[in-house]
Amino acid sequence: MLATLLPTGLDSERSILFHQDHLCWVLNCLTPVDKLRRMTTWKSRLAISRNAGSEDDVDESLPNSGLFTATHVPVGEDQQQHVELTQDLAEIFNRAFPGQNPLFPLSMYVNVPSKRILSLRDPTSKMSKSSRDAASRILLTDSASEIESKIRAAVTDSIPGISYDPVHRPGTSNLLTILAACTESDVQEVARTYSSRGRGRLKSDVADAVEELLEGPRSELERIRHEKAYLHEIARKDACKAMAYSDVTMEDVRQRIGLA
């Protein structure tokens, strides 16, 4: 995972990259099940795997942001419910275990430009690494030919022309969103550019744009993925940085809940 993150532009000198496993149990004990049952992600995970891990995976939002008292969380549209749950759990904890000051801030949801990238095979659901259909997603490790094949097979529609209409044309709109994200363009302007062009041209240009965006990071991944000593050193160094922050929060948590 670390070898995959670094080539995307994350700078370990500015960002702290670490494995997080603290605080989740404490917050699971405070999480109302009815709140989880209202979450789309939780329900979809249960449909695939009915075990406690499904709950933990959804309920890790506050451990991830609260442990470091994050105030803003930039995520995709599908993660907004996670941030809202984080706010609810922060309020529950702060009320249940008050101190001189509230421990957890209410993290704000920060919308990112490409709010939701959908599956290439089922544009009614998000693109996901856990999907059973490998053709539904683009991976950093995909070759140029694999990217082209997946985009070419992407589900669209039979409506003439190209237009951005996420409700009635989710597949076509998804390709426009991907192209706009790769070229840092406005999706409506991209749609106008392709309004009189065919889906074949759109798919070809999307595949080219995705390949151009991923070519550099993919090469960097291939370069560093086998440099175990380098990756272990970054993981060790950043774990120390993370613990310098998280240990303070965890000590406060233990004091408040009576486990110190």
Side-chain angles (χ1 to χ4, degrees):
M1 175 60 78
L2 183 58
T4 305
L5 290 173
L6 290 171
T8 64
L10 288 175
D11 183 353
S12 64
E13 295 301 318
R14 297 181 59 193
S15 304
I16 301 176
L17 308 175
F18 60 97
H19 297 282
Q20 210 293 98
D21 59 2
H22 296 298
L23 193 58
C24 194
W25 177 81
V26 173
L27 295 169
N28 277 349
C29 294
L30 296 174
T31 305
V33 174
D34 66 312
K35 288 188 179 294
L36 291 176
R37 286 175 176 164
R38 291 196 292 269
M39 294 185 66
T40 303
T41 308
W42 193 68
K43 289 186 287 189
S44 63
R45 289 291 170 84
L46 282 183
I48 299 173
S49 177
R50 292 184 173 275
N51 56 50
S54 301
E55 178 176 330
D56 284 347
D57 185 67
V58 173
D59 199 19
E60 65 185 9
S61 303
L62 184 54
N64 287 339
S65 61
L67 195 58
F68 302 93
T69 59
T71 57
H72 295 75
V73 184
V75 291
E77 187 179 56
D78 62 298
Q79 298 294 307
Q80 184 171 355
Q81 283 187 321
H82 290 234
V83 179
E84 291 168 353
L85 176 63
T86 291
Q87 294 170 341
D88 291 340
L89 294 182
E91 286 188 314
I92 290 172
F93 185 94
N94 290 339
R95 285 198 307 267
F97 306 104
Q100 187 174 358
N101 296 299
L103 177 57
F104 296 120
L106 303 185
S107 300
M108 298 293 294
Y109 165 66
V110 179
N111 205 353
V112 295
S114 302
K115 297 184 292 185
R116 190 176 181 84
I117 302 299
L118 302 175
S119 165
L120 297 175
R121 303 301 298 157
D122 176 16
T124 63
S125 60
K126 70 173 184 177
M127 185 179 290
S128 172
K129 64 181 183 297
S130 59
S131 171
R132 294 174 181 175
D133 188 350
S136 68
R137 57 186 175 270
I138 301 295
L139 301 176
L140 182 58
T141 52
D142 284 345
S143 66
S145 61
E146 287 172 323
I147 291 172
E148 182 182 11
S149 176
K150 289 180 179 181
I151 297 295
R152 189 170 58 246
V155 172
T156 52
D157 55 64
S158 58
I159 301 173
I162 301 296
S163 61
Y164 182 71
D165 185 349
V167 174
H168 299 103
R169 309 188 70 180
T172 298
S173 299
N174 188 44
L175 292 180
L176 290 168
T177 298
I178 294 171
L179 182 56
C182 291
T183 58
E184 298 184 347
S185 305
D186 178 76
V187 68
Q188 295 288 358
E189 293 211 0
V190 172
R192 283 192 288 271
T193 300
Y194 285 84
S195 60
S196 60
R197 300 177 183 177
R199 281 180 293 277
R201 172 67 181 276
L202 174 62
K203 288 184 174 183
S204 176
D205 288 352
V206 171
D208 289 344
V210 171
E211 169 58 19
E212 183 177 350
L213 182 70
L214 296 185
E215 183 180 15
R218 183 174 61 233
S219 296
E220 179 65 6
L221 171 61
E222 289 303 315
R223 186 184 71 82
I224 69 172
R225 68 189 308 173
H226 301 299
E227 296 185 14
K228 303 298 185 182
Y230 168 70
L231 295 172
H232 287 161
E233 176 58 19
I234 290 180
R236 184 200 64 77
K237 181 179 64 176
D238 282 13
C240 291
K241 292 180 186 177
M243 289 176 65
Y245 289 99
S246 63
D247 284 353
V248 175
T249 304
M250 282 305 301
E251 179 58 28
D252 200 344
V253 168
R254 295 187 190 99
Q255 290 285 350
R256 295 189 188 214
I257 67 177
L259 293 179

